[in-house]
Amino acid sequence: MLPRSLSQAIMSFVACNHQGIITLSVKRLMQYAFETMDMNRIQLRCAVDNRPSNKVAQRLSFVFEGIERDGEILSDGEFTDLNVYSFLRRK
């Protein structure tokens, strides 16, 4: 049996900023995950300071669950806190 939870980290690419491409891509991924893969939950994690990625989660009505402290290591070797959002099929 396949897992029924999908975790997806959002990355904002400079070329896509302010064009709605990331939001549309995540929305399509959500549709595929729920309709085709029969997932129950999608989780997004994005750096606390990454405003565009946080906006994507908010725009798509994800629920803020909290902050994962030092949840990811950056390329410079420093850790960053992550905002954790989720969206359930039943929502």
Side-chain angles (χ1 to χ4, degrees):
M1 178 196 277
L2 292 172
R4 297 189 63 199
S5 178
L6 179 66
S7 179
Q8 173 66 42
I10 297 178
M11 297 181 69
S12 291
F13 299 99
V14 175
C16 297
N17 280 347
H18 307 296
Q19 296 178 31
I21 295 170
I22 300 298
T23 301
L24 180 60
S25 297
V26 173
K27 186 174 183 177
R28 295 290 185 250
L29 175 63
M30 291 170 65
Q31 289 173 329
Y32 183 81
F34 290 136
E35 295 170 9
T36 305
M37 298 180 70
D38 198 30
M39 294 286 169
N40 182 57
R41 172 188 166 87
I42 299 174
Q43 179 176 311
L44 299 178
R45 297 164 52 235
C46 39
V48 170
D49 295 333
N50 187 332
R51 293 182 112 184
S53 291
N54 282 280
K55 287 268 192 189
V56 169
Q58 295 162 2
R59 211 175 287 125
L60 293 173
S61 301
F62 277 72
V63 174
F64 177 72
E65 292 189 337
I67 297 174
E68 183 179 335
R69 299 182 311 148
D70 286 351
E72 185 172 50
I73 191 165
L74 303 176
S75 59
D76 63 3
E78 295 293 318
F79 285 91
T80 187
D81 293 346
L82 301 174
N83 282 336
V84 179
Y85 298 89
S86 70
F87 194 101
L88 300 178
R89 174 194 299 260
R90 68 173 181 244
K91 186 170 190 306

